[in-house]
Amino acid sequence: MSKTFRPGLIGGALLLVILALSLAGIMIGVSQIRPDQALAILLQGLGPDMLGTFIEPDWRKSQSVIITELRAPRVILAMLAGAGLAVAGAALQAATRNPLTDPFLLGVSSGASLGAVLVISHVGLVIGAYSMPVFSFAGGLLSFLLLLMLIKRPENQRPDRLVLAGVAISFLLMAGTNGLIFLGDQRAAQSVVFWMLGGLGRARWDLLPIPALIIVLGVAFLIWQARNLNALMMGQESAAALGVSVNRARVVVLLLATLVTSLIVSLTGTIGFVGLVVPHIMRAFVGGDNRTLLPLCALAGAAFMLGMDIVARMLLAPQELPIGIITGAVGGSYFCYLLARR
């Protein structure tokens, strides 16, 4: 199948899908807004002179606030989260040579959740609006350091041992998270549970700039590691023969994936299966060359998350279903289909 579709054609199609889903995400909600009104409001946000002569500014002020303050940052966060999780998952699968690896399996998400729950249930916003991202990254870094400790011995650096170490750390940190929930303020427990289900409702302009910049840079550096990832997929001996420092390259990829995933979890909660499903789907179309796969995973992940967000808002409208439930159902169903098919 990888010979049937050209990467450039797939990339162009994904960009069109992202544009269409972004516009739909801005229009769809409890308050329905027409396409011409949505475009006019967005253009007015860029500058009143960009309205043009074919768009009549006939919207209400409440509609302008809904788009500019609620839905536009939500769409941006959806694209960032989808692209970041998909690229991190694809990179980890290449680095560990295990197609079932994703940030959640290696304990990164559990560590980030531990830090976020610590903020919600115990310490509060001690450093302002960025308390959640900082503590989430600290939790993700904790999981990363524990993983490094477990794979310090050469015999534990095999791909299968690496994944087993990640699973053990994930359960350990999840136990710590559950303990924090039990010992914390029970009035905050409901907020913690809802946050852990995953969602994009925390998207705000004042929270996005710094995490967005770091996520974009992290994704860019992971894509830049594509040649090293291709070498790692060939095995440690082959990668070393090609001049790649295996341990260093693997640690760099793990650290970048930890950084990206932790920041995403701090903003969205735990949204599973994106880093697992999207790379599998794209690999079926374009093959396993990470120089092509990783950029397309970024586009496909963004489109996937935008679509899931729209489904989450429409399925039980006017109530919003946590997006983590949707991605879990889609991802689990997809892998059941793969198992049943082959």
Side-chain angles (χ1 to χ4, degrees):
M1 186 178 293
S2 60
K3 297 181 180 179
T4 305
F5 299 93
R6 295 181 179 179
L9 183 63
I10 296 177
L14 286 173
L15 284 174
L16 291 177
V17 171
I18 289 173
L19 289 175
L21 290 175
S22 298
L23 181 59
I26 290 175
M27 293 165 45
I28 294 173
V30 177
S31 176
Q32 298 285 343
I33 300 175
R34 299 197 315 267
D36 59 329
Q37 291 177 327
L39 288 173
I41 292 171
L42 291 175
L43 290 175
Q44 188 191 45
L46 297 175
D49 295 336
M50 300 184 66
L51 281 175
T53 58
F54 299 101
I55 301 177
E56 182 68 25
D58 60 345
W59 61 86
R60 299 187 303 273
K61 185 177 179 179
S62 60
Q63 292 176 315
S64 178
V65 172
I66 289 173
I67 286 183
T68 57
E69 299 298 328
L70 298 178
R71 295 182 185 174
R74 186 186 183 104
V75 165
I76 292 175
L77 179 57
M79 290 190 289
L80 288 171
L85 291 175
V87 172
L92 289 174
Q93 289 168 16
T96 61
R97 298 178 62 200
N98 189 322
L100 296 180
T101 304
D102 77 338
F104 294 81
L105 188 63
L106 289 184
V108 177
S109 174
S110 298
S113 298
L114 178 67
V117 170
L118 183 63
V119 172
I120 297 174
S121 299
H122 293 272
V123 301
L125 301 178
V126 292
I127 54 175
Y130 288 102
S131 298
M132 192 87 78
V134 170
F135 276 80
S136 291
F137 175 65
L141 188 61
L142 174 63
S143 69
F144 173 73
L145 294 176
L146 290 174
L147 185 63
L148 288 183
M149 291 174 58
L150 289 180
I151 65 173
K152 188 176 181 180
R153 299 172 62 182
E155 59 268 25
N156 288 338
Q157 294 175 6
R158 301 202 315 263
D160 56 339
R161 293 287 186 91
L162 183 63
V163 173
L164 288 175
V167 171
I169 292 171
S170 179
F171 278 102
L172 179 64
L173 295 177
M174 187 55 66
T177 301
N178 292 334
L180 288 177
I181 296 174
F182 180 77
L183 297 174
D185 186 357
Q186 296 305 305
R187 292 173 298 180
Q190 184 177 359
S191 300
V192 171
V193 171
F194 185 80
W195 174 85
M196 293 183 69
L197 293 176
L200 303 173
R202 295 186 69 250
R204 302 200 323 250
W205 289 122
D206 59 334
L207 287 177
L208 280 180
I210 295 179
L213 177 62
I214 297 175
I215 291 171
V216 170
L217 291 176
V219 168
F221 277 116
L222 283 173
I223 294 175
W224 186 60
Q225 294 289 320
R227 292 184 181 273
N228 289 339
L229 290 171
N230 284 341
L232 291 175
M233 290 175 62
M234 299 168 62
Q236 295 189 23
E237 294 80 6
S238 299
L242 293 173
V244 176
S245 176
V246 175
N247 291 335
R248 180 182 177 183
R250 190 170 288 163
V251 167
V252 168
V253 171
L254 289 172
L255 183 58
L256 289 173
T258 298
L259 174 62
V260 171
T261 304
S262 299
L263 289 175
I264 292 173
V265 169
S266 72
L267 295 172
T268 66
T270 52
I271 300 178
F273 276 106
V274 179
L276 193 60
V277 171
V278 173
H280 272 272
I281 294 175
M282 296 312 300
R283 201 176 285 115
F285 285 97
V286 300
D289 187 349
N290 289 286
R291 293 172 297 178
T292 302
L293 178 65
L294 293 183
L296 291 180
C297 278
L299 296 177
F304 178 80
M305 190 67 78
L306 285 169
M308 293 299 99
D309 181 44
I310 292 174
V311 172
R313 281 189 273 169
M314 294 181 61
L315 203 58
L316 296 178
Q319 185 178 3
E320 179 182 333
L321 191 66
I323 195 171
I325 296 177
I326 305 295
T327 58
V330 171
S333 300
Y334 175 74
F335 274 92
C336 288
Y337 162 75
L338 289 182
L339 289 173
R341 183 183 177 189
R342 52 186 182 187

